[in-house]
């Protein structure tokens, strides 16, 4: 089984709809992250969490919210999707003691 | 804030040739991560460098960290079509396990 899973893998939605992207991990790492990737802009950090009670905004948090339901689960919500949120979204996990960061397979979101 | 610049932005090489990709930081590098991404897919962790002068290898890919130049280089020996993809460098800003700042990526194509 993959260490980091994301659902859905692909989603097409309309402007104004509420969308939730889910991430779960099996590594037991405390730190989880959400990034988005856009052509020519690389990956940018949306939100991150260092444990269940800790949520922090990243570089581009406007228009997004997150929930850390458990150590293994970190979900990203778009309350009212807009077309410029069309992107590839990645969840990642990290362990400061092991110097490793692993990424999920990504969710391709298209907002029409 | 820290920025990572990758060069070149894109590269086309003939199969069997060697190549180098550079990642230069605007600030001191503490931890430097290299990832490979197939088009539109997830990021595959290649290696992480922490100490100045450190060099690591993963199959035919070697990466080095030059602390003084605030730069890391990724070298591929005898390139193969399987090496094609996008190579991304990421830096952790001084604390392992924190969110990464990424370069915009280098797209590598290998012609047979």
């Amino acid at each position: 089984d993959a260490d980091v899973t994301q659902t859905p893998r692909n989603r097409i939605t309309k402007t104004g709809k509420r969308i939730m992207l889910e991430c779960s991990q099996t590594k037991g790492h405390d730190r989880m992250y959400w990034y988005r990737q856009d052509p020519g802009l690389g990956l940018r950090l949306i939100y991150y969490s260092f444990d269940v009670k800790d949520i922090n905004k990243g570089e581009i948090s406007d228009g997004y919210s997150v929930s850390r339901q458990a150590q293994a689960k970190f979900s990203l919500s778009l309350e009212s999707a807009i077309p410029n949120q069309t992107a590839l979204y990645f969840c990642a996990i990290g362990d400061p003691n092991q110097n490793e960061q692993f990424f999920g397979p990504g969710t391709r979101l298209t907002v029409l | 804030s820290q920025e990572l610049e990758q060069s070149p932005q894109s590269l086309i090489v003939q199969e069997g040739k060697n190549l180098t990709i550079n990642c230069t930081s605007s600030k001191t590098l503490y931890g430097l991560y290299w990832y490979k991404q197939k088009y539109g897919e997830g990021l595959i962790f290649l290696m992480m460098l922490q100490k100045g002068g450190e060099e690591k290898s993963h199959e035919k890919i070697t990466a080095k960290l030059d602390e003084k130049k605030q730069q890391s280089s990724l070298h591929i020996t005898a390139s193969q079509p399987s090496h094609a993809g996008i190579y991304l460098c990421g830096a952790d800003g001084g604390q392992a396990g924190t969110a990464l700042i990424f370069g915009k990526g280098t797209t590598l194509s290998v012609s047979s």
Side-chain angles (χ1 to χ4, degrees), chain A residues 3-4 27 29 31-35 43 45 47-50 90-104, chain B residues 31-36 42-48 90-102:
Chain A
D3 297 328
V4 183
K27 296 281 282 185
H29 288 351
R31 302 186 175 195
M32 299 186 75
Y33 315 88
W34 276 104
Y35 295 86
L43 281 105
L45 181 67
Y47 269 97
Y48 61 103
S49 169
F50 283 178
F90 288 103
C91 174
I93 61 174
D95 183 339
N97 297 318
Q98 297 178 10
N99 294 332
E100 58 185 23
Q101 295 210 14
F102 294 100
F103 281 73
Chain B
L32 193 288
Y33 297 72
W34 282 102
Y35 292 88
K36 179 188 174 186
L43 278 68
I44 300 168
F45 175 75
L46 295 176
M47 60 196 86
M48 187 262 187
D92 68 12
Q95 185 178 358
T98 58
L100 297 180
I101 304 295
F102 282 91

Side-chain angles (χ1 to χ4, degrees), chain B residues 25-85:
Chain B
S25 173
S26 60
K27 294 188 176 182
T28 302
L29 278 171
Y30 295 100
L32 193 288
Y33 297 72
W34 282 102
Y35 292 88
K36 179 188 174 186
Q37 182 183 26
K38 288 286 190 182
Y39 303 105
E41 297 181 8
L43 278 68
I44 300 168
F45 175 75
L46 295 176
M47 60 196 86
M48 187 262 187
L49 304 167
Q50 253 189 322
K51 302 173 186 177
E54 187 173 16
E55 180 175 322
K56 288 187 178 178
S57 293
H58 173 77
E59 299 177 345
K60 290 187 177 181
I61 302 174
T62 301
K64 299 179 185 179
L65 182 63
D66 186 329
E67 258 183 348
K68 289 184 180 179
K69 292 183 179 178
Q70 297 179 174
Q71 183 179 75
S72 177
S73 59
L74 185 85
H75 185 77
I76 298 177
T77 302
S79 59
Q80 301 170 1
S82 61
H83 287 127

Side-chain angles (χ1 to χ4, degrees), chain A:
Chain A
D1 287 342
D3 297 328
V4 183
T5 57
Q6 291 184 234
T7 56
R9 294 294 313 278
N10 288 283
R11 181 72 183 267
I12 300 173
T13 191
K14 294 183 179 180
T15 297
K17 294 292 186 181
R18 184 177 187 274
I19 296 296
M20 179 180 287
L21 309 183
E22 298 185 345
C23 175
S24 61
Q25 54 133 335
T26 59
K27 296 281 282 185
H29 288 351
D30 288 326
R31 302 186 175 195
M32 299 186 75
Y33 315 88
W34 276 104
Y35 295 86
R36 67 176 276 178
Q37 185 179 36
D38 299 273
L41 295 178
L43 281 105
R44 293 179 292 167
L45 181 67
I46 307 172
Y47 269 97
Y48 61 103
S49 169
F50 283 178
D51 64 42
V52 175
K53 296 181 181 179
D54 177 74
I55 300 290
N56 303 282
K57 292 183 177 180
E59 179 187 353
I60 52 164
S61 60
D62 287 349
Y64 301 94
S65 63
V66 291
S67 174
R68 185 80 184 265
Q69 302 97 318
Q71 187 204 35
K73 296 185 182 295
F74 192 36
S75 61
L76 176 73
S77 294
L78 287 69
E79 297 300 325
S80 180
I82 56 177
N84 75 0
Q85 290 178 314
T86 293
L88 192 52
Y89 290 84
F90 288 103
C91 174
I93 61 174
D95 183 339
N97 297 318
Q98 297 178 10
N99 294 332
E100 58 185 23
Q101 295 210 14
F102 294 100
F103 281 73
T107 294
R108 183 169 296 282
L109 177 66
T110 303
V111 183
L112 301 176

